[in-house]
Amino acid sequence: MNAKYIGIMDEIKDQLSNGTLVSGCKLPSVRQLSEKFSCSKNTVMKAYNELEKEHFIYSVPKSGYYVVNEFQNHEDKKNAIDFLSAGPDKDVIPYVEFQHCINQAIDTYREELFTYSDQQGLYSLRVELMKYLQSLQVFTNPERLFVVSGSQQALNLLVSMPFPNGKNNILIEQPTYYGFIESALIHQPTTFGIDLTMDGIDLERLEYIFRNNDIKFFYIVPRFQNPLGHSYTNREKKKIVELAEKYDVYLVEDDFLGELDQDLKSDPLFSYNPSGRVIFIKSFSKIFLPGLRVATIVLPELMINNFLRYKFSADFNSSVLSQGALDIYLKSGMINGHIKKIKELYHNKMKLLQEACKLLLPEHASFTKPTTGFYLSVFLPEGVTAKQVVNLLRERNIYVDDASRMFLPEYKKENLLRLCTSQVNESQIKPGIEHLARCIKFIDSRKNYFTQHNHLLF
Ligand SMILES: Cc1ncc(COP(=O)(O)O)c(C=O)c1O
């Protein structure tokens, strides 16, 4: 019976991938299949039971078996070289392990996962998060932790809510994470920018802005920044925290890739003032699964009640199913093996990307050199815009990002290109950069023509 039931399963899986069977469609009856495959009804039942266990099909009593979901066809994307998408590398997403956690969470928490829940986040998850954050040198307690629906939600709420210092304006590294710029543009606080390069920020300028501009908080991405890949030294972080304390400015620390740091001595800003000056945000989107929409924020005690109101008004509570499954994933220790794996993977990809840039990019283009992380940025030669490069490469099925939207309008630069390593596979890095180099040279050599005929080409 063994081989036969597997043969039936394979045929059904083929039909799911070639589109013959689609979501909701009814499968042949057990009798029909047993005739078709000249086998017993038990063999067909066994194949259907196995497919049901794998969640490909479901049964309706007295009616039959139905398709849950057809397979997706990813063929068209296979040949693309994608330096644009910023989700985690799909090859290291721990689907199977996490499936166990979801099942285990449902068994453990049952109806608790499917009803309204603690607005601050499942308490057991907050305890696990507290322990997890210790590995990042963030020591706090579950009472100061909130579970939020992605760090984007936390940032958006912080932009809109009042702060204990009673100040109104926000300071942002230039360039910075686009989602934060969007929140600022929507809520319209007065914003100030401070230029960031791979040499950091001008600390005297920072002090000047803190002293004179009624700054509510400074949004800072301290490690492997998006889009430059910049990281601050411990000395700089300590100084920034001191200045924030001196001028009563809050620091919002978005440590989205901290786990990838190869330098074990690198500390978060939070560790220089754990009592509330630094608001620490940890996303699980880049290092784990963005679709969970789970992140955590550590708040000063003074802000807890107010944050609760803003969080409640945004979405009541974050997905409890995601929280329950993440709770089990952390508790079981599965995350440790995963972090070890991705740490090496992204470090390797960044190395390959930099080798390729060094070897292939024209001399008058420069690029940032992060030790690891997802992002590296290329400064294009004068007269070549990121938009032109993005459009030309897209025609060759290569995707890169124009970083002009990662600046506040008054700081905008048109010549910054962001490359993300997370979804590009290692063997595509060098060919991708070869195309990029050719494209930059092509546009550079026809600068005048491109400027005059921009509208025709793009
Ligand atoms: C620096 C930074 N912070 C936060 C986010 C948003 O992450 P989440 O999915 O947790 O909302 C991103 C996403 O790209 C990011 O790059």
Side-chain angles (χ1 to χ4, degrees), residues 137-333:
Q137 299 304 309
V138 170
F139 294 90
T140 185
N141 56 55
E143 283 65 39
R144 278 180 62 192
L145 283 182
F146 273 74
V147 177
V148 281
S149 306
S151 53
Q152 177 62 34
Q153 180 180 53
L155 295 172
N156 196 47
L157 297 179
L158 294 174
V159 169
S160 62
M161 69 184 276
F163 268 48
N165 58 10
K167 299 181 179 183
N168 295 309
N169 305 331
I170 293 175
L171 179 64
I172 315 174
E173 293 166 324
Q174 288 299 286
T176 195
Y177 161 53
Y178 168 68
F180 190 86
I181 303 258
E182 270 298 276
S183 286
L185 292 176
I186 285 172
H187 295 290
Q188 302 202 317
T190 301
T191 44
F192 291 84
I194 185 160
D195 288 327
L196 177 71
T197 66
M198 288 306 270
D199 295 326
I201 51 173
D202 178 344
L203 291 170
E204 281 176 21
R205 171 104 191 112
L206 182 74
E207 177 156 14
Y208 178 86
I209 299 174
F210 278 1
R211 189 189 317 123
N212 295 304
N213 293 102
D214 193 44
I215 301 295
K216 169 170 120 171
F217 70 79
F218 176 26
Y219 171 59
I220 184 164
V221 183
R223 299 194 252 203
F224 318 117
Q225 197 247 15
N226 178 5
L228 296 182
H230 166 265
S231 298
Y232 291 92
T233 62
N234 280 349
R235 198 189 59 78
E236 289 166 327
K237 284 184 264 194
K238 188 161 177 263
K239 180 73 187 164
I240 293 169
V241 175
E242 279 165 15
L243 290 175
E245 186 64 27
K246 179 167 173 193
Y247 294 102
D248 191 16
V249 171
Y250 283 87
L251 297 170
V252 173
E253 177 174 29
D254 181 350
D255 197 19
F256 75 135
L257 286 176
E259 290 87 340
L260 301 187
D261 208 333
Q262 301 280 328
D263 176 4
L264 299 179
K265 294 207 174 104
S266 162
D267 292 319
L269 293 149
F270 185 93
S271 65
Y272 295 104
N273 186 328
S275 59
R277 178 57 59 194
V278 184
I279 296 169
F280 184 85
I281 303 178
K282 174 75 245 154
S283 169
F284 285 89
S285 293
K286 307 290 173 193
I287 55 132
F288 193 42
L289 300 168
L292 287 186
R293 306 311 300 139
V294 172
T296 186
I297 174 167
V298 186
L299 286 161
E301 267 152 30
L302 274 178
M303 287 177 67
I304 289 172
N305 288 341
N306 223 8
F307 193 85
L308 203 56
R309 286 188 62 204
Y310 275 74
K311 166 73 180 153
F312 167 78
S313 72
D315 66 354
F316 206 103
N317 60 256
S318 300
S319 158
V320 203
L321 179 59
S322 293
Q323 293 187 56
L326 182 62
D327 178 35
I328 308 265
Y329 193 71
L330 295 176
K331 217 176 255 163
S332 66

